[in-house]
Amino acid sequence: QVQLVESGGGLVQAGDSLKLSCAASGRTDRLYAMGWFRQAPGKEREFVAGIMWIGTYTSYTDSVKGRFTISKDNAKRTLYLQMNNLKLEDTAMYYCAARYSSNTPYGNWGQGTHVTVSS
C-alpha cells in the first residue's frame, strides 16, 4: 500500500497560481497512475487530473484544461499540481490518490490540502 500526504494549499486571489504536492511513501513500485481530486463544500468529490506513474500520459477535467498541469517526479515519489489563473470555483479541498491498475478505482486517499480562492 502507498501512503499519500498532500501539501501546498492556501488562500490566494483569483488569477493567482499555486502548486500542490503529494508525497508518496510505501509501495510505489506497483502504481499504475496517480491523480488529483477535489471536493467543494456541499458538492461531491470530483476528478481533476491524472497521470500514469510510468510514462507521461495525462488527463484533465474540462474545467481545468489549460490552467492546471499535473506532473510527477518518480525519483522523489512526488506528485504535483500546478494551478494557474485560479478561479473562485477552484476553491475546494484537494486530495491525491493512487491507482494500481486500469481495473481498480483510485484509492489510498491523502488527508487533503485546502485551496481557497478569493476575489
Side-chain angles (χ1 to χ4, degrees), residues 17-38:
S17 297
L18 203 59
K19 187 172 186 177
L20 305 183
S21 299
C22 172
S25 60
R27 295 299 303 270
T28 58
D29 56 306
R30 296 183 179 181
L31 285 177
Y32 172 76
M34 291 188 71
W36 286 99
F37 291 74
R38 66 186 179 186

Side-chain angles (χ1 to χ4, degrees), residues 8 13 21 59 66 97 102-103 112 119:
Q13 292 188 324
S21 299
S59 61
S102 60
N103 296 320
S119 60

Side-chain angles (χ1 to χ4, degrees), residues 18-112:
L18 203 59
K19 187 172 186 177
L20 305 183
S21 299
C22 172
S25 60
R27 295 299 303 270
T28 58
D29 56 306
R30 296 183 179 181
L31 285 177
Y32 172 76
M34 291 188 71
W36 286 99
F37 291 74
R38 66 186 179 186
Q39 186 168 20
K43 295 187 177 181
E44 293 186 355
R45 185 163 54 193
E46 65 169 347
F47 172 82
V48 175
I51 187 168
M52 300 295 289
W53 191 244
I54 304 300
T56 58
Y57 178 79
T58 59
S59 61
Y60 298 89
T61 191
D62 286 346
S63 62
V64 307
K65 285 181 180 177
R67 300 189 298 122
F68 290 12
T69 302
I70 189 171
S71 63
K72 60 184 172 69
D73 186 327
N74 291 65
K76 294 182 179 179
R77 300 196 293 177
T78 302
L79 180 72
Y80 303 100
L81 186 67
Q82 176 67 47
M83 305 185 293
N84 298 329
N85 189 23
L86 282 160
K87 301 179 180 181
L88 298 179
E89 53 265 39
D90 294 319
T91 294
M93 183 71 81
Y94 283 73
Y95 301 89
C96 66
R99 196 176 183 188
Y100 286 92
S101 76
S102 60
N103 296 320
T104 58
Y106 280 98
N108 299 91
W109 302 94
Q111 85 289 348

